[in-house]
């Protein structure tokens, strides 16, 4: 598994940003059975779940990002994206893509999102 994250960067508060993650080497049928999502970790804090898009098609969000973030998966591209809007300085963190297949979780490299006030 080689999760490739992209996007991230610096944005002003109230702005928007999109981060994406691909799993290009996986067989499509396996990807369809994979839950994909994002965690984030701010400096000095524990890693927290941000959003997940399950293989069955459901989505779940942390309360802190509901109505601001949207997760979507593209099974054809074997990718998952996180559209972040109305960003706040508290959203500043390293965002980690993950893929969960059965009992195994795979992690991508983190991508830094910095929201300036």
């Amino acid at each position: 598994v080689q999760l490739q994250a992209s996007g991230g960067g610096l944005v002003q508060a109230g702005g928007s940003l999109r981060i994406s993650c691909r799993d290009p080497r996986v067989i499509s049928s396996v990807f369809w059975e994979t839950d994909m999502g994002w965690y984030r970790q701010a400096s000095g804090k524990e890693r927290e779940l941000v959003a997940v898009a399950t293989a069955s098609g459901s989505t779940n969000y942390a309360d802190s990002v509901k109505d601001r973030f949207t997760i979507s998966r593209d099974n054809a591209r074997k990718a998952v994206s996180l559209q972040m809007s109305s960003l706040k300085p508290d959203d500043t963190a390293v965002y980690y893509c993950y893929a969960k297949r059965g009992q195994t979780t795979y992690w991508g490299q983190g991508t830094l999102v910095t929201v300036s006030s």
Side-chain angles (χ1 to χ4, degrees), residues 6-117:
S6 60
L10 175 64
V11 64
Q12 289 188 333
S16 298
L17 204 60
R18 184 181 183 91
I19 54 178
S20 298
C21 177
R22 293 185 64 215
D23 189 2
R25 296 185 178 182
V26 71
I27 298 171
S28 293
S29 59
V30 173
F31 183 83
W32 299 338
E33 297 174 355
T34 302
D35 293 344
M36 300 291 294
W38 295 90
Y39 274 74
R40 68 185 180 185
Q41 187 166 20
S43 179
K45 295 186 178 180
E46 294 186 353
R47 192 175 291 193
E48 63 171 348
L49 178 64
V50 177
V52 58
T54 69
S56 63
S58 63
T59 57
N60 288 292
Y61 298 91
D63 287 342
S64 59
V65 306
K66 278 181 182 177
D67 299 324
R68 298 190 299 121
F69 290 12
T70 302
I71 190 170
S72 59
R73 57 189 295 154
D74 184 339
N75 286 342
R77 292 184 62 247
K78 295 178 280 188
V80 64
S81 296
L82 186 68
Q83 178 67 44
M84 303 179 288
S85 303
S86 301
L87 283 161
K88 307 174 182 179
D90 283 349
D91 296 317
T92 295
V94 177
Y95 285 70
Y96 295 92
C97 168
Y98 78 93
K100 187 172 185 296
R101 298 183 188 132
Q103 300 303 310
T104 303
T105 300
Y106 305 90
W107 295 94
Q109 85 279 13
T111 185
L112 178 62
V113 173
T114 303
V115 184
S116 62
S117 57

